[in-house]
Amino acid sequence: MSGTTTSGDRRPLRQDAVRNRERLIVAARDTFHRSGLDAPLEEIARQAGVSAGTLYNRFASRGELVDAALGPVVERSVEIAERASRAEDPWDGFVTFMEQTCELLAAERGYTDVYRTRLADTPVIDAARKRMGVFKAQIMARAKAAGALRDDVETTDIIMAFWGISAIAESTRDTAPDAWRRHLALVLDGLRADAAHPLPATALSTRALIR
């Protein structure tokens, strides 16, 4: 641990600085889980038992803190996609990817915000997004080639489906925590090739989706 460094300063941190950094990461992960990415940084510092100044010394921006706290959660989503891309049955792989990603979105409010938001200073999350995109494309291509996934669905359609399902999960978490599963089942039925009807509008481009 003595070799831990900050992103802006490559010198090793002192042991007390390392402990403070780790406490801040744990507190941030918990706070983002409860309150989302807009949670006050001062609240995170209080939960970690350090001053706001210490937080800003360790993390120069909100993005740096989000990257350290939630990077591992985003990595879990990449692992889900990687396993699904290797499924023997392409449709089962697609369904597994959808279900397990939605489970993560429903369980982790911080991840939901990361999925719907782009922040500066998040190199770990940005790299994970790129890997996720590769696996997602593979999963969809395999399911289309097998004649299981409708041919006109695009990756941006899947992203928007995740947005909708995560909103349902957030709205019903306290009253009907599994309500999103019903909506996902309806979405999956609509994505089957044998149930496809012409779509009324073109898919958003990636650039339009980001805007």
Side-chain angles (χ1 to χ4, degrees), residues 5-25:
T5 60
T6 65
S7 58
D9 185 350
R10 311 319 300 176
R11 293 173 298 175
L13 297 175
R14 301 190 313 271
Q15 286 297 320
D16 60 339
V18 171
R19 287 192 295 270
N20 286 341
R21 187 176 191 278
E22 292 304 316
R23 282 198 292 265
L24 284 164
I25 290 172

Side-chain angles (χ1 to χ4, degrees), residues 163-196:
W163 285 359
I165 291 167
S166 65
I168 291 170
E170 184 173 341
S171 299
T172 61
R173 181 173 289 117
D174 296 331
T175 55
D178 286 332
W180 65 266
R181 295 183 185 276
R182 178 182 175 89
H183 185 68
L184 175 60
L186 292 169
V187 169
L188 287 171
D189 278 352
L191 291 171
R192 289 180 182 272
D194 56 9

Side-chain angles (χ1 to χ4, degrees), residues 35-38 108-117 170:
S35 306
L37 298 190
D38 291 333
E108 295 282 353
R109 181 175 178 184
Y111 175 62
T112 298
D113 281 1
V114 165
Y115 197 87
R116 295 187 297 196
T117 307
E170 184 173 341

Side-chain angles (χ1 to χ4, degrees), residues 1-210:
M1 293 293 289
S2 61
T4 302
T5 60
T6 65
S7 58
D9 185 350
R10 311 319 300 176
R11 293 173 298 175
L13 297 175
R14 301 190 313 271
Q15 286 297 320
D16 60 339
V18 171
R19 287 192 295 270
N20 286 341
R21 187 176 191 278
E22 292 304 316
R23 282 198 292 265
L24 284 164
I25 290 172
V26 170
R29 189 174 297 132
D30 178 66
T31 303
F32 293 147
H33 173 74
R34 289 183 288 103
S35 306
L37 298 190
D38 291 333
L41 297 185
E42 291 77 10
E43 177 184 338
I44 294 171
R46 284 195 301 271
Q47 183 170 331
V50 302
S51 68
T54 296
L55 185 151
Y56 291 117
N57 283 337
R58 299 280 72 83
F59 301 98
S61 68
R62 181 179 294 268
E64 285 189 11
L65 182 57
V66 169
D67 206 43
L70 298 182
V73 179
V74 181
E75 290 287 352
R76 282 164 52 194
S77 72
V78 178
E79 292 168 5
I80 288 169
E82 183 177 11
R83 288 195 301 269
S85 73
R86 299 195 303 264
E88 183 175 351
D89 181 274
W91 178 252
D92 287 347
F94 178 75
V95 171
T96 296
F97 167 66
M98 294 290 290
E99 287 180 343
Q100 293 187 1
T101 300
C102 286
E103 286 173 353
L104 188 58
L105 288 165
E108 295 282 353
R109 181 175 178 184
Y111 175 62
T112 298
D113 281 1
V114 165
Y115 197 87
R116 295 187 297 196
T117 307
R118 289 183 180 269
L119 294 174
D121 304 322
T122 55
V124 173
I125 290 173
D126 292 344
R129 283 185 200 273
K130 290 180 181 178
R131 298 203 310 279
M132 165 68 82
V134 172
F135 290 127
K136 185 190 304 176
Q138 291 175 357
I139 292 165
M140 294 177 65
R142 292 182 70 223
K144 287 181 179 181
L149 178 65
R150 58 187 300 157
D151 195 54
D152 56 356
V153 67
E154 302 291 344
T155 55
T156 53
D157 295 315
I158 302 304
I159 293 171
M160 293 180 74
F162 285 147
W163 285 359
I165 291 167
S166 65
I168 291 170
E170 184 173 341
S171 299
T172 61
R173 181 173 289 117
D174 296 331
T175 55
D178 286 332
W180 65 266
R181 295 183 185 276
R182 178 182 175 89
H183 185 68
L184 175 60
L186 292 169
V187 169
L188 287 171
D189 278 352
L191 291 171
R192 289 180 182 272
D194 56 9
H197 295 284
L199 294 170
T202 58
L204 287 179
S205 67
T206 300
R207 178 174 295 181
L209 190 72
I210 291 172

